[in-house]
Amino acid sequence: MTEPQATEKVLSRLIWPLRLTRAGMVAERVTRAFWPVWSVMFMTVAAFAFGIAGRMGQTTLWAGLGLVGLILALLIARAVMRFRMPSRAEAMDRLDRTLPGRPLSALLDHPAMGAADPATQSVWAAHLRRMADRAATARAPEPDLRLSRQDPFALRYVAATALAMALLFGTMDRVGEMGEAVSFGTGPAIASGPSWEGWVEPPVYTGLPSLYLNEIFADGFETPVGSRITFRSYGEEGSVSITTDVGPLPSDAADSYAQSVTVERSGDFTVNGPMGRSWSISVLPDQAPAVALDGEVEGEPPGQMQFSFTATDDYGVTSGTATIRLDASAADRRFGLSVEPEPREALVLDLPMPFRGSRSEFTEVVLEDLSQHPFANLPVTMTLTVTDAAGQIGTIAHDVPRLPGRRFFDPLANAVIEMRRDLLWSRENAPRAAQILRALTQSPEPGLDQGVYLQLRSAIRRLEAAPDMISTDTRDQVAEILWNAAMELEVGDLDDALERLRQAQERLSEAMRQGASDEEIAQLMDELRQAMDDYMQQLAENAQPGEDRPDDGGERMEMSMSDLEEMMRRIEELMQEGRMAEAQEMLNALQQMLENMEMVQGGEGGDGPRTPGEQAMEGLQDTLRDQQQLSDDAFRELQDRLNPGRPQQGQPQGQGQPGQDNPEGQAENGQQPGTQQEPGTGQGGENGEGMTLAERQEALRRMLEQQQGGLPGSGTEAGDEALRRLDDAARAMEEAEGLLEQDDLAGALDAQSEALEALREGMTELGRALAQDQTGEDPGQGMADGNMAPDRPLQDPLGRQAGNSGAFGSDEAMADREEAFRRSRELLDELRRRSAEQERPELERDYLRRLLDQF
């Protein structure tokens, strides 16, 4: 086969790659030449699909169409002039450039020199064979349809997007209006005959869909009041008309082919003319919203107001307010309230609305602290108002005998607050308030704080400085001073534990005399318990082990913490039953007993060496305390993320909120933050400073694993159960560690809660195992059989001296255990309070509710 024949054979095999390459080149040149043409066409179709023809007059429409036609003509002419059909040689050159060595050009080439030389001919033939093999692998290249150089502003994408929106949301049938609008004659589309179409569009706030009249074949239908009926006719003017009594028709409509009417009442809607039809329209009235108060307005100690309400509306409530006005006629008009009150603006609170879900019917809780408002603890009238999207209003008024506010049970603080109330009632009470405050400070009580005394004297000077009536600014300044003074008197920082205990008892007694609510009584009981805990701890710290006690002939009475708690529980029961006199007598007896109580060291050899079981139990207690602290820190960090910039809520001095540092700036274990702790009692040895939450969790897990290695009581049922519980705690800690590394604080808190529960159960089982090792039998069995050794003190399963022995004290500080119980109660109360605050994010409130479900 000669060289030309071989070349022709190879090229014949490339006929389809050449054709495809040429077709791709045609597509490229057509795209680059004609893209402006179809971009203008896309924009025109989109405009008509969205009804531009119906909004333009015939003259304007003619001018617009003419302009579009002229632009299209110029663009088509420009495209035709620029377009050039690619030749076969160009296609072959494009295909050749895609192959290495350009084999097609080599096959069509011939040697320039040495054509008669046999060696040259042999080398050339070998070269052609290699080029033929390469040419056989030719594939048509993909066409380059990019237009970034020709369309740097991406106008083609704008046109394509407009067409896509028209296809999705427009009406393509409206494109036909263009032909009707430009048809020759006296009116639109005379030749096509008369026709019509209509829509019923309910108000947007109802959320109901639009109705197409041409597709309603029933005799009637319902639609909300305020719906808009749009009617459009085509054909000769006057060939199609409408009559209706559902609302007024516009009399001066500029376009007789398009009319609209707003539905105001039930009636008929009739289309007169070809394909006429009639409907009976029933109007669905928009009901006014309604609101109801659920229960009574209650107080949430120490001074918050709380109430719940239910709002309903057929289409949803948009907003609501609670307006609080003073009800002077219902007040006890004696003393400082005998004068007429000064007019004050009503207090307006925004009602919380649901963030998600339907607002057709919902129930929400309002929690506000109005303790410092002039209306606090006075009768008021509260009006709840809700509004819907249509502007309709629903109201309800409720008389509140006493607007909840902070109650002061310290006698001097109560007197100061009463003067503040009288002053805010009317400035005419300024001389009387100054006179009473001067009497209170004339011979002050010995224990009156100097700062409080100076504040009261400053208030007196301001009240007596004005010759006639004090100004409103002075009144507000004095009210602020009196509030601060009363707060210091009520919850001031007392260093003496016994004095704090006496004050708590006096406040509780005063609350019983004033008929305080159950919530306030419960709060004061908690304060009394805390003060008693502090006093007992002080007694324990001051008691000297082994000190000689005078022989009182057996008349000395020893009490345990359980005995004191039982007395307090009995006092609370008497108050709940309304037996205040008996409760007061028992409270007085408790006060006398506490003042005369003597601390007795529990057990024998209290300062002796600790057993391995005691050491293991103390180590687990430290781990439990550190795990609780870590959980508190994780919860605080989660709260800060959900509420960025949220200010810390105030609390009385001496009562730290759960999860926060105490007012003295000490950590939960009693040390200053950042001070060195003993091994095993902190987070990583230095309160976890410089360590992430995950690293602290890992350190606690490793500490627990070390404690498991030397745990006593193995081999017994209780000891094995304690090991299993501690294994569960270690696994939960490991899971919490992984979640903390993933920054999943909510999941980590759940795992930490499981670890805490497993640790508590493991410590309980370990206590049972230690008790069995000491007695050789189950706790309580020897006692029942009468085999308890007489020289062994009675102990509970955790190795502590039992409370029914009649002595206060044990191998560990009783105050620490009571502190744990008190802290648990405070944590639950704080969780309940925060879960009811509507301003918190739903994610945080859901997490708080899940915590409450577990406990």
Side-chain angles (χ1 to χ4, degrees):
M1 185 181 297
T2 62
E3 293 179 6
Q5 292 176 343
T7 300
E8 191 64 30
K9 183 178 180 180
V10 172
L11 294 179
S12 63
R13 295 175 184 175
L14 299 178
I15 183 171
W16 279 108
L18 284 173
R19 289 179 179 177
L20 294 176
T21 302
R22 192 175 185 184
M25 295 177 67
V26 172
E28 290 177 358
R29 297 183 179 184
V30 168
T31 302
R32 292 168 183 168
F34 288 91
W35 73 266
V37 177
W38 62 64
S39 296
V40 173
M41 294 177 63
F42 286 171
M43 293 295 295
T44 303
V45 171
F48 279 97
F50 282 111
I52 192 174
R55 298 179 177 87
M56 300 173 63
Q58 191 172 14
T59 303
T60 306
L61 186 60
W62 267 99
L65 290 176
L67 180 61
V68 171
L70 178 61
I71 293 174
L72 286 175
L74 294 175
L75 291 176
I76 291 174
R78 176 177 174 271
V80 170
M81 294 175 61
R82 296 185 59 183
F83 179 77
R84 184 171 56 86
M85 183 66 68
S87 62
R88 185 174 184 275
E90 292 175 335
M92 184 175 293
D93 182 65
R94 169 72 70 84
L95 183 61
D96 192 22
R97 286 199 302 269
T98 62
L99 299 173
R102 305 196 66 172
L104 298 183
S105 299
L107 291 175
L108 297 176
D109 205 354
H110 59 276
M113 297 183 300
D117 185 8
T120 302
Q121 290 291 338
S122 176
V123 173
W124 182 253
H127 176 63
L128 291 181
R129 284 194 299 271
R130 287 196 299 267
M131 294 297 103
D133 293 338
R134 292 184 183 179
T137 62
R139 297 291 183 271
E142 294 183 0
D144 183 10
L145 302 179
R146 292 176 297 180
L147 298 174
S148 55
R149 291 187 178 181
Q150 289 76 17
D151 183 18
F153 300 104
L155 299 178
R156 63 192 184 283
Y157 292 133
V158 175
T161 302
L163 181 63
M165 293 298 101
L167 294 175
L168 290 174
F169 306 108
T171 304
M172 297 306 295
D173 294 341
R174 292 180 177 176
V175 179
E177 297 176 4
M178 177 177 62
E180 298 174 358
V182 300
S183 60
F184 294 97
T186 58
I190 297 177
S192 62
S195 62
W196 60 271
E197 59 180 344
W199 302 267
V200 181
E201 299 173 302
V204 176
Y205 67 84
T206 63
L208 298 177
S210 299
L211 303 177
Y212 189 52
L213 288 177
N214 299 64
E215 297 179 354
I216 300 179
F217 301 102
D219 295 335
F221 59 89
E222 296 179 340
T223 188
V225 64
S227 299
R228 186 178 184 85
I229 301 178
T230 302
F231 180 80
R232 183 177 295 278
S233 61
Y234 310 100
E236 294 184 0
E237 186 175 1
S239 59
V240 180
S241 62
I242 59 174
T243 56
T244 181
D245 55 355
V246 298
L249 285 170
S251 57
D252 54 347
D255 188 358
S256 60
Y257 292 97
Q259 295 177 296
S260 62
V261 58
T262 301
V263 178
E264 299 177 353
R265 53 189 175 273
S266 300
D268 297 329
F269 187 88
T270 304
V271 178
N272 304 310
M275 297 183 296
R277 201 177 300 174
S278 178
W279 297 272
S280 177
I281 300 178
S282 298
V283 171
L284 297 175
D286 188 351
Q287 303 293 337
V291 60
L293 191 67
D294 296 342
E296 298 293 332
V297 178
E298 300 175 348
E300 183 72 15
Q304 292 180 311
M305 174 195 67
Q306 176 177 321
F307 67 89
S308 61
F309 68 95
T310 299
T312 57
D313 186 65
D314 45 4
Y315 298 115
V317 176
T318 58
S319 62
T321 58
T323 304
I324 300 176
R325 296 181 175 87
L326 178 65
D327 187 4
S329 60
D332 186 6
R333 303 294 294 275
R334 295 185 299 169
F335 308 114
L337 305 185
S338 59
V339 300
E340 288 299 318
E342 291 182 337
R344 279 192 177 272
E345 294 183 359
L347 174 62
V348 180
L349 305 175
D350 291 331
L351 296 180
M353 296 288 121
F355 291 107
R356 295 181 297 179
S358 174
R359 293 190 179 183
S360 299
E361 182 176 2
F362 62 91
T363 300
E364 291 289 343
V365 177
V366 177
L367 186 65
E368 293 286 343
D369 189 351
L370 304 178
S371 296
Q372 299 190 50
H373 196 274
F375 296 164
N377 297 313
L378 291 174
V380 296
T381 300
M382 185 170 62
T383 303
L384 301 183
T385 304
V386 291
T387 307
D388 62 5
Q392 300 182 101
I393 297 176
T395 62
I396 183 175
H398 184 76
D399 293 332
V400 181
R402 184 183 73 87
L403 182 65
R406 188 180 186 94
R407 298 279 292 273
F408 291 81
F409 300 107
D410 181 86
L412 183 55
N414 196 9
V416 172
I417 284 298
E418 183 177 349
M419 294 303 99
R420 177 182 182 272
R421 180 204 64 184
D422 297 346
L423 189 62
L424 293 175
W425 177 272
S426 176
R427 286 176 291 168
E428 296 180 14
N429 290 322
R432 177 178 177 274
Q435 183 180 10
I436 295 178
L437 290 176
R438 185 173 290 280
L440 291 175
T441 57
Q442 183 66 31
S443 298
E445 298 179 0
L448 182 62
D449 184 74
Q450 182 179 3
V452 176
Y453 175 80
L454 294 177
Q455 291 184 64
L456 296 180
R457 299 298 296 180
S458 174
I460 294 173
R461 288 194 299 270
R462 292 172 185 266
L463 292 175
E464 295 178 346
D468 297 324
M469 183 77 70
I470 63 174
S471 64
T472 56
D473 292 339
T474 302
R475 177 198 62 190
D476 295 338
Q477 293 173 4
V478 172
E480 181 69 20
I481 294 174
L482 295 180
W483 175 266
N484 295 333
M487 287 296 296
E488 290 190 27
L489 290 170
E490 182 75 7
V491 293
D493 184 16
L494 298 177
D495 296 331
D496 185 72
L498 179 59
E499 184 62 29
R500 188 185 299 113
L501 178 61
R502 288 173 179 169
Q503 187 183 33
Q505 292 171 337
E506 291 176 359
R507 293 175 61 196
L508 182 58
S509 300
E510 183 67 21
M512 288 191 290
R513 285 193 295 268
Q514 294 184 15
S517 64
D518 295 340
E519 293 80 4
E520 293 168 333
I521 292 291
Q523 181 193 8
L524 294 174
M525 286 295 298
D526 290 339
E527 294 178 3
L528 179 59
R529 286 190 179 94
Q530 182 181 358
M532 187 171 63
D533 291 343
D534 297 338
Y535 180 58
M536 303 305 286
Q537 184 176 4
Q538 188 182 71
L539 286 179
E541 293 173 354
N542 295 334
Q544 299 297 328
E547 67 179 357
D548 293 335
R549 297 180 179 86
D551 186 7
D552 54 4
E555 296 299 329
R556 186 187 64 208
M557 182 180 65
E558 299 177 359
M559 294 189 64
S560 66
M561 193 65 186
S562 60
D563 298 330
L564 297 176
E565 184 66 29
E566 178 63 24
M567 288 191 66
M568 295 189 64
R569 186 188 63 80
R570 181 58 180 162
I571 293 173
E572 192 169 8
E573 289 180 356
L574 291 174
M575 289 188 294
Q576 292 175 354
E577 295 173 1
R579 300 158 64 180
M580 294 298 177
E582 299 178 31
Q584 183 64 51
E585 292 179 3
M586 185 167 288
L587 182 62
N588 295 336
L590 175 62
Q591 180 178 1
Q592 184 177 3
M593 291 165 58
L594 289 173
E595 293 177 356
N596 299 329
M597 188 169 57
E598 178 184 1
M599 176 59 59
V600 179
Q601 292 294 323
E604 297 179 2
D607 292 336
R610 296 179 299 174
T611 65
E614 293 173 344
Q615 294 177 359
M617 186 64 71
E618 290 180 4
L620 290 177
Q621 289 174 352
D622 293 338
T623 304
L624 178 64
R625 180 169 56 249
D626 294 343
Q627 181 63 59
Q628 181 64 59
Q629 179 64 35
L630 178 59
S631 300
D632 292 344
D633 294 342
F635 179 74
R636 269 201 308 271
E637 184 169 341
L638 176 62
Q639 193 177 35
D640 293 339
R641 292 184 183 181
L642 296 175
N643 298 277
R646 180 182 62 86
Q648 295 291 333
Q649 297 182 2
Q651 69 270 9
Q653 276 189 321
Q655 297 182 11
Q657 292 184 357
Q660 297 180 357
D661 293 342
N662 54 33
E664 287 80 4
Q666 295 179 351
E668 292 297 335
N669 54 10
Q671 291 180 327
Q672 293 295 337
T675 58
Q676 184 71 25
Q677 298 181 349
E678 295 180 5
T681 62
Q683 298 84 13
E686 291 184 353
N687 281 344
E689 289 188 355
M691 299 175 63
T692 64
L693 295 177
E695 292 172 347
R696 290 169 59 185
Q697 186 66 74
E698 180 184 5
L700 283 177
R701 178 176 58 83
R702 295 185 182 278
M703 183 187 302
L704 179 61
E705 292 173 351
Q706 293 175 1
Q707 294 167 348
Q708 287 179 266
L711 204 65
S714 60
T716 63
E717 180 181 355
D720 294 341
E721 181 64 22
L723 286 174
R724 283 193 293 270
R725 296 297 185 184
L726 295 179
D727 287 339
D728 295 340
R731 283 193 294 270
M733 287 181 178
E734 186 174 5
E735 180 183 355
E737 178 185 343
L739 292 171
L740 287 173
E741 291 177 351
Q742 300 172 10
D743 207 22
D744 184 3
L745 291 178
L749 284 169
D750 292 337
Q752 289 172 345
S753 177
E754 296 177 4
L756 287 170
E757 186 65 24
L759 273 174
R760 294 189 184 99
E761 294 175 356
M763 293 173 62
T764 303
E765 295 298 332
L766 178 59
R768 289 183 54 198
L770 295 178
Q772 292 177 11
D773 289 342
Q774 293 175 359
T775 62
E777 52 193 3
D778 290 339
Q781 179 180 352
M783 190 177 194
D785 297 339
N787 298 328
M788 180 65 72
D791 57 346
R792 181 185 298 275
L794 183 62
Q795 294 180 336
D796 66 3
L798 298 183
R800 301 168 299 190
Q801 184 174 335
N804 58 3
S805 65
F808 178 83
S810 65
D811 292 341
E812 67 180 32
M814 177 68 73
D816 290 343
R817 298 199 302 273
E818 294 302 322
E819 175 67 19
F821 297 149
R822 182 190 63 79
R823 179 170 173 77
S824 300
R825 288 194 299 268
E826 288 182 352
L827 280 173
L828 287 176
D829 294 341
E830 183 68 13
L831 289 175
R832 294 190 184 100
R833 184 186 66 79
R834 296 188 182 188
S835 63
E837 294 180 354
Q838 300 301 315
E839 64 271 12
R840 296 183 178 272
E842 184 63 25
L843 177 62
E844 180 182 354
R845 294 176 60 201
D846 181 66
Y847 171 72
L848 293 172
R849 287 192 289 266
R850 286 192 286 115
L851 281 182
L852 290 173
D853 292 341
Q854 293 183 8
F855 300 103

